[in-house]
Amino acid sequence: MRPTSQPLRAVLALLALGASGCGSEDADALVVVGLTTDMAIGFEIDEIESTTKVDGVVTRAERLSYGGGELSLPAELPVAPAHDGAEVELSVAAFRDGDAAAIVTRRAVTRAVGGRRLLLPVSLDEECSAVSCAAGATCAAGACVDPFVAPSALADHDPMWIASASDACKTPSSGDPEIMIGQGESAFAPLEEGEVVPIEAGPQGGHHVWLALRVTGLRQMGSRLRVGGYFRELEFELRPFTAQVTLHRAAGDLCEIYGIRFQVDRGLMVDAVRGRALDVEIALEDPNGDRATAARRVVIAP
């Protein structure tokens, strides 16, 4: 049976406690694991299990689940304070929802250094999903390598490393942030300017259209979505809809989100909007502050 999970806020609290120390010698030799992936959290990876050891002794074992609201990458994993020269080891396994076997595993080992707070980068790479390494080796970027990284090769920990960390949707080749408005409840479909779109009655009243987005150059997790609309003929602005979203990786550098329900008769009678042109405006801003906007005029079906 897998270890029970704990809330992410408790993990971060422990990390902060370890960082503050108590003035002891151990508190001066710290390692922070920076965990990243090029796979989509919530789609290709649903949960991870990690084990940390200091000098061969397990100091933490945990399971984090996207479905439980605990898993978001990139992230920092805490390691107990260590003495100078202590061996620090991390083992990580990533699972798809419902799968018993891990799709990717990774090990990383280094040594703590007195007076330094090291950042140990560990990536869960899609290229490693079909790679099996011999005992003692681990897979990184599709190749079997020695898991040991000399502390002299590691940078000091800087909390800003997350801003430039590898991401499933924001890659070096993805270019400037850009979004394309489409439609669809369960998949992305193109949406032409002036296209007639159907509306559906919602479960709690009101009528909505299903919107979708194709995205480049923005982070996969934690982006803030804002959807607004304006009926020019009625001189009526719809109340905007906002949410924090997770993108799904599509082909190449494209990522998508679909099933965006936008109510079109909030504050209006539904008969008043039928056959009317609606100007839809969408903005998406990621945790780094990068932002993209797009607009599309649609016509509500008569």
Side-chain angles (χ1 to χ4, degrees), residues 129-150:
S129 60
V131 176
S132 178
C133 296
T138 192
C139 182
C144 293
V145 299
D146 187 338
F148 182 78
V149 182

Side-chain angles (χ1 to χ4, degrees), residues 232-251:
R232 191 169 299 277
E233 296 169 275
L234 302 176
E235 297 184 346
F236 187 88
E237 183 173 0
L238 293 171
R239 186 186 306 170
F241 160 78
T242 61
Q244 186 168 299
V245 298
T246 296
L247 303 176
H248 180 277
R249 189 172 59 177

Side-chain angles (χ1 to χ4, degrees), residues 253-264:
D253 290 325
L254 290 175
C255 284
E256 295 178 344
I257 180 173
Y258 36 79
I260 302 170
R261 180 189 284 139
F262 183 49
Q263 185 177 341
V264 298

Side-chain angles (χ1 to χ4, degrees), residues 265-283:
D265 60 347
R266 183 176 295 175
L268 293 167
M269 298 296 292
V270 66
D271 287 343
V273 305
R274 296 187 187 277
R276 302 287 188 180
L278 172 64
D279 293 327
V280 177
E281 297 183 350
I282 295 182

Side-chain angles (χ1 to χ4, degrees), residues 88-138:
V88 175
E89 177 183 349
L90 173 76
S91 299
V92 186
F95 299 83
R96 289 193 179 96
D97 188 22
D99 286 357
I103 57 170
V104 174
T105 60
R106 179 72 192 274
R107 287 180 62 238
V109 183
T110 191
R111 291 194 178 277
V113 176
R116 292 190 66 190
R117 181 182 176 89
L118 301 174
L119 176 65
L120 177 61
V122 177
S123 60
L124 298 171
D125 303 320
E126 184 179 28
E127 290 180 285
C128 291
S129 60
V131 176
S132 178
C133 296
T138 192

